[in-house]
């Protein structure tokens, strides 16, 4: 078999990746080509020719002869070095699969469980610092910078076990896994914010907190379902709206429960403070009373829907927040249906579907995501031709408690997001106290959606500064967590 032409090089590279995972997984003729030393696909893959010792007494084929390279690669191959490379590859795989278990995701400082597979000294042979310095990074198929394992390992830990973590290895699609690894490890979507962007982020967070504090002081004891502890959710929505507009969207459709809803109405949709304050003061208009044929008294303020227009660098975009009842996830299929309708061109009988026209965003509670059936039902329809919206951004507003129930007593899984694994959805966990990481999570999520037209889950891990609502005293039902929050608040000079 001769080498492939340029038109088929992408297909050949995918087969090469499969070959590296398991040589027997590719057809014989492709395996012979990769091992022959005559393939440009192999020759242009960094460091691969030095691993293809498949012919003649274990000696490299002619094409695999050493080329001018780094000093560690010039070292004679010994059993110890081969064992170290194998251990290093296992270590890389462990970080990709289990790095989230060592990530610092909890703003309240709970100790992550970790995993023994992430510890170099537990591998066989032990990957001591000296041995790590002998393993060339080029053979490990990594995207983090560095020449040896000793150089890349700290960066790999920061990537997978910092204040942001990823669960992607459950995804069956090879192309999606490789794309995500490259996007995550290269840091393409996690660059530092510019000074002006940081000032903008600070201003946004300040508006969020000031609004919450005003409502709590001015309307003592009235329910508001404070966003405090998950404040960064509002800047995350701002980022999502701008990215959607940049990709050509005309509308963003949002569905969410009570937590943080008033702040989203005010700062994401631009609903005037006066409208929200009138609701607190009990004012009702005649329009609210006769809004339906049956009449009524108007809905409570944290069920209200709204629509607004946002100006972005790419142009104006409509932002809609769907109304929803107290059954928190009932809004999910409503949002999907509305987004699908917006994405469908009904000017012709063909009903052409363009997912870029509208972005659906669903904000879930950490207890309701695994606990209410609408979530699974909506995810189950997400990839069907007649229902797909080209990918939904799911944000779990994770305050680590469901009403008054600890996670360990409310679900049978480690994470509230685990339901999404059954649908091959990538999951990004992020510490809500690292706003820049939270913004980068949205960037990665929407880049993945744009590339693969698939759902993404961002698990935003924070806490709840007050009770379930402002008529509850958190110290009665969650005394330990309330004490942690209060102590943390005091350390950061928070005030009531």
């Amino acid at each position: 078999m001769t080498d492939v032409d340029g038109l088929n090089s992408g297909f050949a590279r995918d087969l090469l990746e499969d070959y590296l995972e398991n040589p027997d997984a590719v057809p014989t003729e492709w395996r012979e080509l990769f091992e022959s030393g005559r393939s440009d696909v192999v020759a242009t893959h960094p460091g691969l020719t030095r691993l293809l010792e498949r012919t003649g007494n274990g000696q490299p084929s002619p094409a695999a002869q050493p080329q001018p390279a780094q000093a560690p690669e010039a070292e004679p191959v010994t059993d110890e070095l081969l064992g170290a490379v194998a251990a290093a590859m296992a270590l890389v795989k462990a970080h990709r699969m289990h790095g989230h278990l060592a990530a610092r995701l909890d703003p309240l400082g709970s100790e992550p469980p970790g995993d023994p597979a992430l510890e170099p000294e537990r591998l066989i042979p032990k990957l001591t610092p000296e041995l790590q310095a002998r393993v060339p990074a080029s053979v490990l198929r990594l995207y983090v910078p560095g020449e040896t394992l000793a150089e890349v390992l700290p960066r790999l830990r920061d990537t997978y076990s910092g204040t942001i973590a990823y669960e992607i290895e459950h995804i069956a699609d090879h192309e999606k896994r490789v794309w995500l690894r490259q996007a995550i490890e290269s840091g393409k979507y996690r660059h530092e914010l510019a000074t002006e962007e940081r000032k903008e982020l600070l201003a946004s967070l300040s508006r969020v907190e000031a609004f919450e504090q005003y409502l709590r002081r001015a309307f003592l004891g009235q329910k508001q379902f404070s966003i405090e502890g998950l404040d960064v959710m509002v800047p995350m929505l701002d980022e999502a709206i701008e990215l959607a507009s940049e990709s050509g969207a005309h509308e963003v459709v949002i569905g969410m429960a009570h937590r943080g809803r008033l702040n989203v109405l005010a700062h994401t949709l631009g609903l005037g403070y006066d409208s929200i304050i009138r609701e607190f003061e009990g004012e009702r208009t005649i329009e609210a009373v006769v809004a339906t044929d049956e009449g009524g008294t108007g809905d409570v303020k944290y069920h209200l829907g709204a629509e607004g227009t946002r100006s972005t660098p790419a142009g104006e975009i409509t932002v809609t927040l769907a109304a929803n009842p107290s059954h928190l996830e009932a809004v999910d299929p409503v949002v999907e249906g509305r987004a699908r309708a917006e994405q469908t061109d009904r000017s012709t009988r063909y009903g052409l579907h363009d997912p870029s026209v509208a972005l659906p965003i669903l904000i879930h509670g950490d207890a309701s995501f695994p606990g209410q059936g609408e979530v699974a039902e909506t995810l189950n329809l997400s990839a069907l031709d007649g229902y797909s919206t080209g990918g939904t951004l799911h944000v779990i507003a994770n305050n680590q408690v469901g009403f008054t129930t600890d996670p360990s007593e409310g679900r049978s899984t480690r994470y509230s997001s685990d339901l999404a694994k059954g649908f091959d959805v990538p999951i990004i966990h992020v510490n809500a106290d690292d706003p820049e990481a939270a913004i980068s999570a949205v960037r990665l999520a929407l880049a993945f959606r744009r590339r693969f037209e698939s759902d993404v889950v961002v698990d935003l891990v924070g806490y709840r500064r007050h009770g379930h609502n402002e008529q509850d005293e958190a110290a009665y039902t969650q005394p330990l967590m309330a004490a942690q929050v209060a102590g943390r608040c005091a350390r950061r000079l928070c005030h009531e």
Side-chain angles (χ1 to χ4, degrees):
M1 179 176 179
T2 59
D3 202 6
V4 294
D5 57 30
L7 291 175
N8 295 308
S9 61
F11 173 69
R13 288 184 184 280
D14 284 344
L15 281 178
L16 180 56
E17 293 287 347
D18 292 338
Y19 169 83
L20 292 171
E21 295 280 353
N22 177 14
D24 294 330
V26 302
T28 304
E29 61 270 20
W30 285 98
R31 189 163 63 248
E32 291 175 352
L33 174 64
F34 294 150
E35 296 171 3
S36 67
R38 299 190 302 274
S39 171
D40 290 339
V41 174
V42 173
T44 57
H45 194 297
L48 268 183
T49 54
R50 309 194 58 78
L51 293 179
L52 301 181
E53 298 181 357
R54 305 286 187 196
T55 59
N57 298 322
Q59 297 301 315
S61 61
Q65 293 301 316
Q67 301 173 2
Q70 303 127 7
E73 292 184 327
E75 181 179 348
V77 177
T78 63
D79 288 345
E80 182 186 30
L81 185 57
L82 286 174
V85 169
M89 294 183 77
L91 187 61
V92 169
K93 184 176 182 180
H95 277 81
R96 288 170 171 168
M97 290 189 68
H98 307 302
H100 58 91
L101 296 174
R104 299 284 175 178
L105 299 174
D106 184 5
L108 298 179
S110 64
E111 193 67 24
D115 190 286
L118 301 172
E119 301 174 27
E121 297 287 338
R122 287 177 177 260
L123 297 168
I124 301 176
K126 291 182 178 180
L127 287 176
T128 62
E130 294 75 23
L131 195 52
Q132 290 177 31
R134 294 171 58 193
V135 176
S138 58
V139 302
L140 301 178
R141 288 179 289 145
L142 283 167
Y143 303 98
V144 294
E147 301 298 324
T148 66
L149 176 62
E151 293 179 16
V152 302
L153 187 54
R155 297 186 177 104
L156 197 66
R157 284 178 180 144
D158 288 344
T159 298
Y160 286 104
S161 300
T163 53
I164 188 169
Y166 311 89
E167 290 187 273
I168 61 173
E169 296 301 318
H170 59 277
I171 299 174
D173 189 305
H174 175 76
E175 184 184 1
K176 290 180 180 178
R177 290 197 310 273
V178 172
W179 187 94
L180 282 164
R181 289 170 190 161
Q182 185 169 11
I184 291 165
E185 294 172 14
S186 66
K188 181 177 181 180
Y189 301 100
R190 203 181 172 187
H191 52 80
E192 287 190 5
L193 298 182
T195 302
E196 285 306 312
E197 291 175 315
R198 286 183 174 179
K199 289 180 180 178
E200 223 175 282
L201 178 57
L202 176 60
S204 177
L205 292 170
S206 299
R207 287 192 295 269
V208 169
E209 184 171 6
F211 185 53
E212 295 287 348
Q213 289 189 1
Y214 169 78
L215 291 179
R216 191 166 58 257
R217 289 170 178 167
F219 305 102
L220 189 65
Q222 290 200 43
K223 294 180 182 179
Q224 70 187 64
F225 297 97
S226 169
I227 198 175
E228 289 173 279
L230 294 167
D231 310 58
V232 75
M233 193 166 68
V234 171
M236 289 171 71
L237 290 176
D238 291 342
E239 183 73 13
I241 291 166
E242 291 205 4
L243 291 173
S245 178
E246 188 180 294
S247 297
H250 303 157
E251 183 170 359
V252 172
V253 187
I254 303 173
M256 67 182 299
H258 309 338
R259 182 73 51 206
R261 190 178 185 88
L262 297 179
N263 230 300
V264 170
L265 284 167
H267 297 127
T268 303
L269 282 88
L271 188 66
Y273 292 138
D274 55 339
S275 299
I276 297 172
I277 291 171
R278 275 202 305 270
E279 291 289 335
F280 276 97
E281 292 177 340
E283 178 180 329
R284 293 293 184 267
T285 64
I286 188 64
E287 288 80 14
V289 175
V290 297
T292 66
D293 294 338
E294 295 80 10
T297 58
D299 210 345
V300 293
K301 51 191 164 293
Y302 40 83
H303 289 174
L304 294 173
E307 183 177 295
T309 301
R310 290 280 297 265
S311 294
T312 72
E316 289 196 343
I317 185 170
T318 300
V319 183
T320 302
L321 179 65
N324 73 301
S326 290
H327 193 66
L328 310 183
E329 301 293 341
V331 75
D332 296 357
V334 176
V335 167
E336 299 296 340
R338 181 160 185 160
R340 174 73 186 213
E342 183 69 23
Q343 294 168 353
T344 303
D345 181 3
R346 295 183 295 280
S347 64
T348 70
R349 63 190 180 90
Y350 301 107
L352 298 178
H353 176 224
D354 182 0
S356 69
V357 170
L359 169 67
I361 301 176
L362 291 175
I363 302 174
H364 310 270
D366 55 302
S368 62
F369 190 83
Q372 293 191 6
E374 286 94 342
V375 180
E377 292 165 0
T378 304
L379 285 169
N380 192 49
L381 296 174
S382 63
L384 301 185
D385 287 342
Y387 298 88
S388 173
T389 54
T392 297
L393 173 61
H394 300 267
V395 178
I396 298 178
N398 190 345
N399 52 31
Q400 304 189 69
V401 59
F403 197 4
T404 59
T405 306
D406 288 331
S408 61
E409 297 174 348
R411 62 174 184 262
S412 299
T413 58
R414 178 182 297 277
Y415 298 114
S416 61
S417 57
D418 284 344
L419 168 69
K421 290 181 181 178
F423 299 92
D424 272 6
V425 174
I427 299 165
I428 307 169
H429 304 281
V430 61
N431 187 318
D433 260 17
D434 187 344
E436 292 196 38
I439 297 297
S440 74
V442 171
R443 289 176 178 164
L444 174 62
L446 291 188
F448 180 85
R449 185 220 183 224
R450 186 168 58 248
R451 173 66 178 80
F452 296 103
E453 296 186 357
S454 176
D455 288 23
V456 189
V457 170
V458 177
D459 178 22
L460 181 65
V461 184
Y463 55 90
R464 196 177 67 192
R465 187 169 291 176
H466 307 288
H468 176 68
N469 61 56
E470 283 60 37
Q471 295 177 354
D472 303 324
E473 174 49 66
Y476 289 162
T477 56
Q478 298 290 329
L480 298 180
M481 180 180 284
Q484 282 183 299
V485 171
R488 186 180 178 284
C489 197
R491 287 194 301 274
R492 296 185 62 178
L493 303 180
C494 296
H495 57 277
E496 292 299 325

PDB file of all heavy atoms in Angstrom, residues 4 10 18 52 63 118 157 170 223 236 263 270 313 335 349 369:
ATOM      1  N   VAL A   4      -0.817   7.850   1.646  1.00  0.00           N
ATOM      2  CA  VAL A   4      -2.057   8.536   1.300  1.00  0.00           C
ATOM      3  C   VAL A   4      -1.757   9.894   0.694  1.00  0.00           C
ATOM      4  O   VAL A   4      -0.705  10.490   0.938  1.00  0.00           O
ATOM      5  CB  VAL A   4      -2.943   8.721   2.550  1.00  0.00           C
ATOM      6  CG1 VAL A   4      -3.406   7.381   3.054  1.00  0.00           C
ATOM      7  CG2 VAL A   4      -2.206   9.465   3.632  1.00  0.00           C
ATOM      8  N   GLY A  10      -6.298  13.568   6.670  1.00  0.00           N
ATOM      9  CA  GLY A  10      -7.041  13.658   7.930  1.00  0.00           C
ATOM     10  C   GLY A  10      -7.554  12.306   8.385  1.00  0.00           C
ATOM     11  O   GLY A  10      -7.465  11.942   9.564  1.00  0.00           O
ATOM     12  N   ASP A  18      -5.829   5.770  16.309  1.00  0.00           N
ATOM     13  CA  ASP A  18      -6.379   4.479  16.730  1.00  0.00           C
ATOM     14  C   ASP A  18      -5.263   3.441  16.857  1.00  0.00           C
ATOM     15  O   ASP A  18      -5.258   2.618  17.772  1.00  0.00           O
ATOM     16  CB  ASP A  18      -7.425   3.993  15.720  1.00  0.00           C
ATOM     17  CG  ASP A  18      -8.676   4.857  15.734  1.00  0.00           C
ATOM     18  OD1 ASP A  18      -8.900   5.530  16.757  1.00  0.00           O
ATOM     19  OD2 ASP A  18      -9.401   4.869  14.730  1.00  0.00           O
ATOM     20  N   LEU A  52       8.162   3.229  16.781  1.00  0.00           N
ATOM     21  CA  LEU A  52       7.716   2.173  15.877  1.00  0.00           C
ATOM     22  C   LEU A  52       8.814   1.133  15.666  1.00  0.00           C
ATOM     23  O   LEU A  52       9.391   1.020  14.594  1.00  0.00           O
ATOM     24  CB  LEU A  52       7.281   2.783  14.542  1.00  0.00           C
ATOM     25  CG  LEU A  52       6.138   3.804  14.655  1.00  0.00           C
ATOM     26  CD1 LEU A  52       5.769   4.329  13.293  1.00  0.00           C
ATOM     27  CD2 LEU A  52       4.954   3.170  15.318  1.00  0.00           C
ATOM     28  N   ALA A  63      13.380   4.142   8.501  1.00  0.00           N
ATOM     29  CA  ALA A  63      12.754   5.459   8.630  1.00  0.00           C
ATOM     30  C   ALA A  63      12.733   5.940  10.063  1.00  0.00           C
ATOM     31  O   ALA A  63      12.456   7.083  10.327  1.00  0.00           O
ATOM     32  CB  ALA A  63      11.335   5.418   8.082  1.00  0.00           C
ATOM     33  N   LEU A 118      -2.824   9.038  40.226  1.00  0.00           N
ATOM     34  CA  LEU A 118      -2.272  10.352  39.901  1.00  0.00           C
ATOM     35  C   LEU A 118      -0.918  10.598  40.555  1.00  0.00           C
ATOM     36  O   LEU A 118      -0.318  11.652  40.348  1.00  0.00           O
ATOM     37  CB  LEU A 118      -3.252  11.439  40.348  1.00  0.00           C
ATOM     38  CG  LEU A 118      -4.650  11.394  39.738  1.00  0.00           C
ATOM     39  CD1 LEU A 118      -5.564  12.407  40.426  1.00  0.00           C
ATOM     40  CD2 LEU A 118      -4.603  11.650  38.239  1.00  0.00           C
ATOM     41  N   ARG A 157      -0.978  18.807  35.821  1.00  0.00           N
ATOM     42  CA  ARG A 157      -1.739  18.863  37.073  1.00  0.00           C
ATOM     43  C   ARG A 157      -2.565  20.142  37.147  1.00  0.00           C
ATOM     44  O   ARG A 157      -3.732  20.118  37.540  1.00  0.00           O
ATOM     45  CB  ARG A 157      -0.773  18.802  38.261  1.00  0.00           C
ATOM     46  CG  ARG A 157      -0.206  17.422  38.536  1.00  0.00           C
ATOM     47  CD  ARG A 157       0.766  17.489  39.693  1.00  0.00           C
ATOM     48  NE  ARG A 157       1.345  16.191  39.998  1.00  0.00           N
ATOM     49  CZ  ARG A 157       2.588  16.012  40.403  1.00  0.00           C
ATOM     50  NH1 ARG A 157       3.394  17.052  40.559  1.00  0.00           N
ATOM     51  NH2 ARG A 157       3.035  14.800  40.679  1.00  0.00           N
ATOM     52  N   HIS A 170     -15.256   9.606  28.957  1.00  0.00           N
ATOM     53  CA  HIS A 170     -16.395   8.704  28.767  1.00  0.00           C
ATOM     54  C   HIS A 170     -16.999   8.840  27.378  1.00  0.00           C
ATOM     55  O   HIS A 170     -17.830   8.021  26.977  1.00  0.00           O
ATOM     56  CB  HIS A 170     -17.481   9.006  29.807  1.00  0.00           C
ATOM     57  CG  HIS A 170     -17.990  10.417  29.730  1.00  0.00           C
ATOM     58  ND1 HIS A 170     -17.338  11.468  30.339  1.00  0.00           N
ATOM     59  CD2 HIS A 170     -19.070  10.961  29.115  1.00  0.00           C
ATOM     60  CE1 HIS A 170     -18.001  12.586  30.101  1.00  0.00           C
ATOM     61  NE2 HIS A 170     -19.056  12.311  29.355  1.00  0.00           N
ATOM     62  N   LYS A 223     -38.874  36.623  50.148  1.00  0.00           N
ATOM     63  CA  LYS A 223     -38.112  35.640  49.365  1.00  0.00           C
ATOM     64  C   LYS A 223     -37.449  36.306  48.162  1.00  0.00           C
ATOM     65  O   LYS A 223     -38.081  37.060  47.433  1.00  0.00           O
ATOM     66  CB  LYS A 223     -39.054  34.541  48.867  1.00  0.00           C
ATOM     67  CG  LYS A 223     -39.664  33.677  49.966  1.00  0.00           C
ATOM     68  CD  LYS A 223     -40.568  32.623  49.343  1.00  0.00           C
ATOM     69  CE  LYS A 223     -41.235  31.767  50.419  1.00  0.00           C
ATOM     70  NZ  LYS A 223     -42.129  30.747  49.830  1.00  0.00           N
ATOM     71  N   MET A 236     -20.903  34.803  33.416  1.00  0.00           N
ATOM     72  CA  MET A 236     -20.865  33.651  32.506  1.00  0.00           C
ATOM     73  C   MET A 236     -21.953  33.771  31.431  1.00  0.00           C
ATOM     74  O   MET A 236     -21.710  33.489  30.254  1.00  0.00           O
ATOM     75  CB  MET A 236     -21.042  32.345  33.291  1.00  0.00           C
ATOM     76  CG  MET A 236     -19.843  31.966  34.141  1.00  0.00           C
ATOM     77  SD  MET A 236     -20.201  30.572  35.248  1.00  0.00           S
ATOM     78  CE  MET A 236     -20.300  29.218  34.081  1.00  0.00           C
ATOM     79  N   ASN A 263     -31.484  38.500  39.747  1.00  0.00           N
ATOM     80  CA  ASN A 263     -30.265  39.125  39.239  1.00  0.00           C
ATOM     81  C   ASN A 263     -30.136  38.939  37.739  1.00  0.00           C
ATOM     82  O   ASN A 263     -29.674  39.836  37.018  1.00  0.00           O
ATOM     83  CB  ASN A 263     -29.049  38.541  39.957  1.00  0.00           C
ATOM     84  CG  ASN A 263     -28.132  39.625  40.479  1.00  0.00           C
ATOM     85  OD1 ASN A 263     -27.629  40.424  39.700  1.00  0.00           O
ATOM     86  ND2 ASN A 263     -27.935  39.682  41.794  1.00  0.00           N
ATOM     87  N   GLY A 270     -31.744  43.028  31.406  1.00  0.00           N
ATOM     88  CA  GLY A 270     -31.891  44.475  31.461  1.00  0.00           C
ATOM     89  C   GLY A 270     -33.243  44.945  31.947  1.00  0.00           C
ATOM     90  O   GLY A 270     -33.643  46.092  31.686  1.00  0.00           O
ATOM     91  N   PRO A 313     -20.546  43.415  20.580  1.00  0.00           N
ATOM     92  CA  PRO A 313     -19.661  43.862  19.493  1.00  0.00           C
ATOM     93  C   PRO A 313     -20.085  43.345  18.121  1.00  0.00           C
ATOM     94  O   PRO A 313     -19.780  43.969  17.104  1.00  0.00           O
ATOM     95  CB  PRO A 313     -18.301  43.274  19.913  1.00  0.00           C
ATOM     96  CG  PRO A 313     -18.371  43.191  21.404  1.00  0.00           C
ATOM     97  CD  PRO A 313     -19.792  42.839  21.714  1.00  0.00           C
ATOM     98  N   VAL A 335     -37.822  25.575  26.648  1.00  0.00           N
ATOM     99  CA  VAL A 335     -36.679  26.311  26.092  1.00  0.00           C
ATOM    100  C   VAL A 335     -36.187  25.649  24.808  1.00  0.00           C
ATOM    101  O   VAL A 335     -35.905  26.326  23.802  1.00  0.00           O
ATOM    102  CB  VAL A 335     -35.544  26.402  27.135  1.00  0.00           C
ATOM    103  CG1 VAL A 335     -34.243  26.861  26.487  1.00  0.00           C
ATOM    104  CG2 VAL A 335     -35.942  27.338  28.258  1.00  0.00           C
ATOM    105  N   ARG A 349     -41.364  25.375   2.528  1.00  0.00           N
ATOM    106  CA  ARG A 349     -41.945  24.127   3.012  1.00  0.00           C
ATOM    107  C   ARG A 349     -40.881  23.146   3.505  1.00  0.00           C
ATOM    108  O   ARG A 349     -41.211  22.117   4.091  1.00  0.00           O
ATOM    109  CB  ARG A 349     -42.787  23.472   1.919  1.00  0.00           C
ATOM    110  CG  ARG A 349     -42.019  23.048   0.681  1.00  0.00           C
ATOM    111  CD  ARG A 349     -42.980  22.631  -0.421  1.00  0.00           C
ATOM    112  NE  ARG A 349     -42.305  22.208  -1.635  1.00  0.00           N
ATOM    113  CZ  ARG A 349     -41.939  20.959  -1.894  1.00  0.00           C
ATOM    114  NH1 ARG A 349     -42.204  20.011  -1.011  1.00  0.00           N
ATOM    115  NH2 ARG A 349     -41.329  20.655  -3.018  1.00  0.00           N
ATOM    116  N   PHE A 369     -31.041  18.457  38.825  1.00  0.00           N
ATOM    117  CA  PHE A 369     -30.474  17.891  37.596  1.00  0.00           C
ATOM    118  C   PHE A 369     -30.545  16.357  37.595  1.00  0.00           C
ATOM    119  O   PHE A 369     -31.009  15.763  36.625  1.00  0.00           O
ATOM    120  CB  PHE A 369     -29.028  18.370  37.409  1.00  0.00           C
ATOM    121  CG  PHE A 369     -28.452  18.039  36.054  1.00  0.00           C
ATOM    122  CD1 PHE A 369     -28.696  18.845  34.964  1.00  0.00           C
ATOM    123  CD2 PHE A 369     -27.663  16.912  35.864  1.00  0.00           C
ATOM    124  CE1 PHE A 369     -28.181  18.540  33.703  1.00  0.00           C
ATOM    125  CE2 PHE A 369     -27.135  16.593  34.625  1.00  0.00           C
ATOM    126  CZ  PHE A 369     -27.398  17.407  33.545  1.00  0.00           C
TER     127      PHE A 369
END
